[in-house]
Amino acid sequence: ENLFRAWQNNKLWLCDPDCITIANNIKNMVDGGGNTAENEFLSETDFCYCAAYLFASGASILFSGDDMTLYSKKQTETIKKIKNSDNDNICFENDKFEISKNGKYIVILNDSDKEKSFNFNCGKMKDFLDEQDIVNPVKVSAHSGKIIEFSH
């Protein structure tokens, strides 16, 4: 699925699909009528989805629309882990882009409005970002994503 966009890699794009947003920074925004608009803050689950999506794309290029000088230590570590990962572009099992198993990683993207549970038979599992052990069933909140590193 990434072959159609591979030509974009290693180029700087204003609206690149490999951009990540992991912080809620207050910005003065103006709508089309010249009125000040309020920020629509993202939740932690939204950030997890964004991180998992970027990881699944191979993180071949990484830019942020956030002011990175305002990142917390956790947010900075998230960026470093994704950028320095040894994954290639991940192939999903079907065109729903929900589950991907590739090498030593499983990526789950849950774009539904409900929490989902998954069972995997792949040995020891841990969350790639926070390095916490994971056991079956793997629960993924609505509008969230998870990157699992596993060993047989």
Side-chain angles (χ1 to χ4, degrees), residues 67-100:
D67 181 349
M68 295 175 73
T69 63
L70 301 176
Y71 276 177
S72 67
K73 183 177 180 181
K74 178 184 175 188
Q75 292 164 332
T76 301
E77 288 302 312
T78 297
I79 293 286
K80 287 179 183 177
K81 280 189 159 211
I82 291 172
K83 184 60 185 161
N84 296 326
S85 64
D86 60 351
N87 72 308
D88 290 325
N89 288 347
I90 289 179
C91 295
F92 283 83
E93 293 180 352
N94 56 44
D95 61 359
K96 289 174 28 179
F97 301 105
E98 185 176 64
I99 298 173
S100 165

Side-chain angles (χ1 to χ4, degrees), residues 9 18 34 38 61 80 85 96 111 113 118-119 138 145 151:
N9 290 342
D18 292 343
E38 292 187 25
I61 185 170
K80 287 179 183 177
S85 64
K96 289 174 28 179
D111 63 357
D113 293 331
F118 304 89
N119 286 296
V138 177
S151 58

Side-chain angles (χ1 to χ4, degrees), residues 1-75:
E1 63 268 1
N2 288 315
L3 293 176
F4 292 111
R5 58 172 294 283
W7 63 272
Q8 297 179 34
N9 290 342
N10 299 318
K11 294 176 174 62
L12 175 61
W13 295 85
L14 181 59
C15 297
D16 194 294
D18 292 343
C19 287
I20 187 168
T21 299
I22 60 169
N24 279 318
N25 297 326
I26 297 174
K27 297 184 182 198
N28 294 325
M29 299 183 298
V30 180
D31 67 15
N35 303 307
T36 301
E38 292 187 25
N39 285 346
E40 292 185 26
F41 290 108
L42 299 173
S43 68
E44 185 66 27
T45 58
D46 293 321
F47 296 137
C48 290
Y49 186 94
C50 187
Y53 182 93
L54 180 66
F55 183 89
S57 76
S60 57
I61 185 170
L62 179 60
F63 292 99
S64 175
D66 299 331
D67 181 349
M68 295 175 73
T69 63
L70 301 176
Y71 276 177
S72 67
K73 183 177 180 181
K74 178 184 175 188
Q75 292 164 332

